[in-house]
Amino acid sequence: MKMKAALMYGPNDIRIEETEKPKCPQDGLIIKIMSVGLCGSDIRNLTTDSRKGNYPFIYGHEIVGYVDETGPDQTKYKVGDRLFLFPGTYCMECDECISGHSENCSNKEVSSLAGTGGFAQYVAVKGEKIRRGGIYEIPEDVSFDAASLGEPLTSVFACLENVKVGYPDTLVIIGAGPIGCFMAQLAKFRGAQ
Ligand SMILES: [Zn+2]
Ligand SMILES: [Zn+2]
């Protein structure tokens, strides 16, 4: 079966094409993607030689959708479940992960579990990835579009945590996009004036 996807062939060379729909892993699942965020890092990755020649590749890491298919050995989720998927996987056990720099996870076996991204109609999720996390159920009253903002929201949360924003700080936020709005709201929750 085929699906449509935005494949990156090199810097600024992104083509919408028909490609093979991924096969459902025996112990994993297939997500039908309903919404995907376009991150600042996606723009950076799509406009530079981010994969050092290892193309074509599908980017997009702010993925939401529902379970379209489950493998026979997959027991955690069922068809129809609404999920948020962060495709990256970190071990959370190595020195880099423990020091808060999971982006540099040195456990290559775990980081290689990361699948392709969300600029496509479907994405496959392996069983080991399900066990490692990065998948969250979306509450019924949250729309797919709103849920796709979950990943930038966590980035903002971590950022405010790192600089320890709180009462009685005053913040200047430059830019009123989704990130700027999250900054303002979360800073207020943390006690900023
Ligand atoms: Zn992002
Ligand atoms: Zn790690």
Side-chain angles (χ1 to χ4, degrees), residues 1 10 27 48 61 71 116 132 141:
M1 236 184 111
D27 58 351
T48 62
H61 58 266
T116 53
R132 291 277 174 181
D141 56 345

Side-chain angles (χ1 to χ4, degrees), residues 23 49 52 62 65-66 83 98 101 103 111 114 117 120 123 126 141 146 150 155 159 163-164 166 178 187:
K23 297 245 174 319
D49 187 24
K52 314 247 178 302
E62 300 173 2
Y66 60 81
L83 300 178
I98 289 168
H101 290 280
E103 71 277 14
S111 50
V123 68
K126 293 177 188 157
D141 56 345
S155 306
C159 170
V163 291
K164 309 225 178 325

Side-chain angles (χ1 to χ4, degrees), residues 37-42 61-62 86 151-152 155:
L38 179 64
C39 188
S41 66
D42 288 321
H61 58 266
E62 300 173 2
F86 182 74
E151 192 266 357
S155 306

Side-chain angles (χ1 to χ4, degrees), residues 167-186:
Y167 178 81
D169 297 335
T170 302
L171 257 68
V172 174
I173 295 161
I174 299 167
I179 297 273
C181 295
F182 283 149
M183 271 300 173
Q185 281 179 326
L186 289 190

Side-chain angles (χ1 to χ4, degrees), residues 7-85:
L7 286 107
M8 176 183 176
Y9 281 87
N12 290 310
D13 183 3
I14 295 100
R15 305 176 207 165
I16 311 285
E17 290 185 346
E18 293 240 308
T19 182
E20 268 326 296
K21 181 186 168 189
K23 297 245 174 319
C24 186
Q26 179 83 5
D27 58 351
L29 50 84
I30 297 285
I31 292 181
K32 172 150 177 51
I33 297 166
M34 298 303 289
S35 190
V36 60
L38 179 64
C39 188
S41 66
D42 288 321
I43 311 258
R44 189 176 63 235
N45 287 330
L46 292 166
T47 53
T48 62
D49 187 24
S50 51
R51 294 187 59 83
K52 314 247 178 302
N54 187 15
Y55 305 105
F57 186 71
I58 303 170
Y59 271 107
H61 58 266
E62 300 173 2
I63 304 169
V64 292
Y66 60 81
V67 178
D68 184 62
E69 204 181 326
T70 55
D73 299 340
Q74 203 292 122
T75 50
K76 189 164 183 188
Y77 300 110
K78 59 182 190 314
V79 170
D81 283 353
R82 302 166 81 238
L83 300 178
F84 177 97
L85 166 73

Side-chain angles (χ1 to χ4, degrees), residues 90-98 101-102 104-107:
Y90 313 111
C91 76
M92 302 314 283
E93 289 161 1
C94 69
D95 289 349
E96 289 78 6
C97 283
I98 289 168
H101 290 280
S102 54
N104 297 326
C105 177
S106 59
N107 189 333

